[in-house]
Amino acid sequence: MPAPTSPAPAPGATGTVTTNVPSRLDRLPWSRWHWMIVIGLGTVWILDGLEVTTVGNIAGRLSEEGSGLSITSAQVTGIAAALYVAGACAGALFFGWLTDRYGRKKLFMITLVVYLSATALTALSFDAWWFFAFRFLTGFGIGGEYAAINSAIDELIPARFRGRVDLIINGTYWLGAIGGALLSIVMLNTDIFPKDLGWRLTFALGVVLGLVILLVRRHVPESPRWQFIHGRGEQAEEVVSSVEEEIEEERGEPLPRPEGEITIEQRKSIGFGVIAKTVFGRYPKRAVLGLALFIGQAFLYNAITFGFGSILTTFFDVPTGGTGYYFAVIAAGNFLGPLLLGNLFDTLGRRVMISSTYLLSGLLLFGTAWLFDQGSLNAVTMTACWCVVLFFASAGASSAYLTVSEVFPMETRAMAIAFFYAIGTAAGGISGPLVFADLTKSGVVGDTVLAFQIGASLMCAAGLVAVFLAVKAERRSLEDIAAPLSTAPATAGTSSSATTAQAT
């Protein structure tokens, strides 16, 4: 068993500490413990996918007489969607700051509770303003989840698995989308449920699933990387030692010796000024990369997938109760992208895969827009085109979260995720649904083609940025990609774990 981290100040104290915790975590083989992390943290994206898809598919039903709400389909896919995204932006920034200050575990428990409470209250909507308010609060919770979850996952998963695991976890959003699409078929069937009850039950079922996830999440530990930087070296040692003992017992053999230590000056918190100076001063090119990736994928997904049901009903006369079948197929294509391509992000590398997935999805979307404009598509072929586009786009979009969570120093990680998510999503995710709802509502083919072309252009632009600025982070320790701000000057660079990454 590796020697304990030393010296180790008392919990909550600060000082200088030399630790091999990062190298110990990165050299771990895949185990049942890692599966527990994936299930406890990653499965929340299933809820997000379920939530967003459900709202998109029930938009037509909510606007019908007898639904229990006085609301239009355009308001659901436009105003409500924009409020959901606005809440997510605000929640990411608020909870991201708290995550870096108070720890990953506390916040990924709190954010899930906020998310589930708001979802439950959405099911009780009796007027449009109530529905809008709790769509905002639901987004507020999920935005906090993005910051807390992605930072925790990257800090707990070994470097050689980090790319594929992060992509697949973010891709599970689409498993929830499949569930939401199929669930809406049943819930919108008026032979089974009344118009004013079926859509409410879809939200209620999401809450039940979330409660199960909450029970599993209780067993996920705090990030040892966060602990040793924030003056809790003894707690970090306890977590890592218990994991090592569990894995050695599972494998029946001792673990290899870790290689590399890092010496850091512990601190309890980092101010906004330091975070901003680090992200934009030390790593300006990485900041540009993060913004480009998030804006491109946010506009594509939040603008277009929110309104896909409206496209089917407006242009292809698909009944509102049948849109779920088509969306389930598209969601499957989205999930298969990260699942089948994820390994290549760790082997071929980040730069090649990020740029190629963005560029391919953008070019394919241009092709889809042209075919749609020519009147060459029907509901089935349109869905097939979208499957191909989103197979690549989904892997690219997931890599945006991976990128900003691994290319900045650990003390800024949750806030970096929150910032780029909020800025990128605000640019593409708030304006996108509002603009797209108006374009599809017009019933004019050219208007919808324009929306497709805007999304395609932004994806291609982000892909070109990645060609030149993407960081070669594959199979590298987080501390090697971006040295912690707290690295003690006298010892920085004394090992592979403490190498100060070149600012790019």
Side-chain angles (χ1 to χ4, degrees):
M1 185 66 62
T5 296
S6 85
T14 56
T16 300
V17 60
T18 298
T19 179
N20 59 5
V21 162
S23 60
R24 289 165 69 183
L25 289 170
D26 282 337
R27 77 34 162 122
L28 293 176
W30 194 260
S31 66
R32 289 192 297 266
W33 184 79
H34 293 105
W35 279 117
M36 185 266 292
I37 299 297
V38 170
I39 295 171
L41 299 183
T43 47
V44 73
W45 303 146
I46 296 176
L47 286 179
D48 190 22
L50 181 72
E51 178 91 15
V52 173
T53 306
T54 295
V55 173
N57 284 317
I58 68 174
R61 175 55 47 82
L62 288 176
S63 64
E64 295 175 359
E65 186 177 352
S67 69
L69 282 181
S70 178
I71 195 170
T72 67
S73 179
Q75 285 179 320
V76 176
T77 58
I79 297 175
L83 284 171
Y84 178 86
V85 175
C89 294
L93 292 171
F94 177 70
F95 288 120
W97 175 70
L98 293 178
T99 297
D100 276 337
R101 188 176 182 87
Y102 296 108
R104 294 13 177 168
K105 184 176 177 67
K106 287 181 181 178
L107 270 298
F108 64 59
M109 296 296 287
I110 292 172
T111 53
L112 183 56
V113 171
V114 171
Y115 177 59
L116 294 178
S117 300
T119 299
L121 289 168
T122 301
L124 301 177
S125 296
F126 58 88
D127 202 351
W129 69 266
W130 180 281
F131 184 81
F132 292 150
F134 285 101
R135 290 306 294 158
F136 176 85
L137 291 175
T138 301
F140 192 73
I142 200 63
E145 286 279 290
Y146 276 108
I149 298 298
N150 278 289
S151 57
I153 288 171
D154 281 0
E155 290 166 11
L156 294 171
I157 298 297
R160 61 189 181 281
F161 302 118
R162 189 173 62 243
R164 74 198 76 174
V165 170
D166 198 293
L167 258 71
I168 292 172
I169 284 176
N170 279 283
T172 58
Y173 169 98
W174 295 103
L175 287 179
I178 295 173
L182 296 177
L183 187 63
S184 68
I185 295 171
V186 177
M187 295 303 178
L188 295 181
N189 188 335
T190 53
D191 292 334
I192 302 175
F193 299 104
K195 282 186 177 182
D196 63 346
L197 178 61
W199 64 268
R200 299 180 190 275
L201 291 178
T202 59
F203 289 112
L205 289 174
V207 173
V208 172
L209 177 60
L211 290 173
V212 174
I213 295 174
L214 190 64
L215 293 176
V216 176
R217 190 172 286 187
R218 293 183 307 161
H219 303 289
V220 177
E222 179 58 85
S223 165
R225 282 179 156 105
W226 181 87
Q227 288 175 323
F228 74 70
I229 279 184
H230 288 78
R232 302 182 184 185
E234 289 183 354
Q235 294 177 8
E237 171 64 31
E238 290 174 3
V239 170
V240 177
S241 295
S242 66
V243 173
E244 289 171 331
E245 291 173 2
E246 179 182 330
I247 294 176
E248 285 182 338
E249 183 178 350
E250 176 185 333
R251 294 173 61 86
E253 59 183 14
L255 293 168
R257 290 184 59 83
E259 298 180 1
E261 294 180 334
I262 185 171
T263 299
I264 59 100
E265 295 174 352
Q266 297 172 312
R267 56 176 97 184
K268 292 183 179 181
S269 63
I270 305 273
F272 277 115
V274 176
I275 293 173
K277 184 178 179 180
T278 300
V279 172
F280 295 101
R282 184 189 290 187
Y283 299 103
K285 293 181 181 179
R286 297 184 184 188
V288 170
L289 172 67
L291 287 173
L293 296 181
F294 267 92
I295 290 173
Q297 66 86 27
F299 193 93
L300 179 79
Y301 276 97
N302 289 305
I304 297 177
T305 59
F306 264 122
F308 187 75
S310 296
I311 294 174
L312 292 175
T313 57
T314 301
F315 296 103
F316 302 116
D317 296 323
V318 175
T320 57
T323 58
Y325 292 108
Y326 297 92
F327 205 93
V329 175
I330 288 174
N334 271 284
F335 177 65
L336 289 175
L339 182 66
L340 299 180
L341 299 178
N343 184 54
L344 298 178
F345 284 78
D346 285 326
T347 53
L348 291 181
R350 306 288 200 261
R351 179 169 294 178
V352 171
M353 291 305 299
I354 294 173
S355 59
S356 61
T357 51
Y358 269 77
L359 287 169
L360 273 172
S361 60
L363 293 173
L364 289 168
L365 181 53
F366 273 123
T368 301
W370 182 80
L371 290 173
F372 182 68
D373 189 38
Q374 297 298 307
S376 302
L377 300 176
N378 56 35
V380 174
T381 53
M382 179 73 168
T383 301
C385 287
W386 268 98
C387 268
V388 177
V389 170
L390 298 178
F391 175 84
F392 295 103
S394 181
S398 295
S399 71
Y401 293 94
L402 169 66
T403 296
V404 298
S405 67
E406 67 181 359
V407 301
F408 298 106
M410 203 208 75
E411 298 94 329
T412 70
R413 184 161 295 124
M415 270 307 298
I417 296 169
F419 173 79
F420 287 102
Y421 172 81
I423 297 299
T425 304
I430 296 177
S431 61
L434 292 173
V435 171
F436 196 71
D438 288 337
L439 291 174
T440 55
K441 183 176 65 174
S442 72
V444 178
V445 170
D447 289 346
T448 301
V449 168
L450 175 61
F452 290 173
Q453 291 172 337
I454 293 172
S457 298
L458 291 173
M459 287 296 281
C460 287
L464 291 175
V465 171
V467 169
F468 298 101
L469 300 184
V471 179
K472 296 181 179 180
E474 58 273 7
R475 307 176 73 86
R476 292 171 63 189
S477 168
L478 294 171
E479 291 73 24
D480 184 47
I481 300 167
L485 299 181
S486 304
T487 301
T491 56
T494 59
S495 72
S496 61
S497 294
T499 301
T500 301
Q502 178 67 36
T504 58

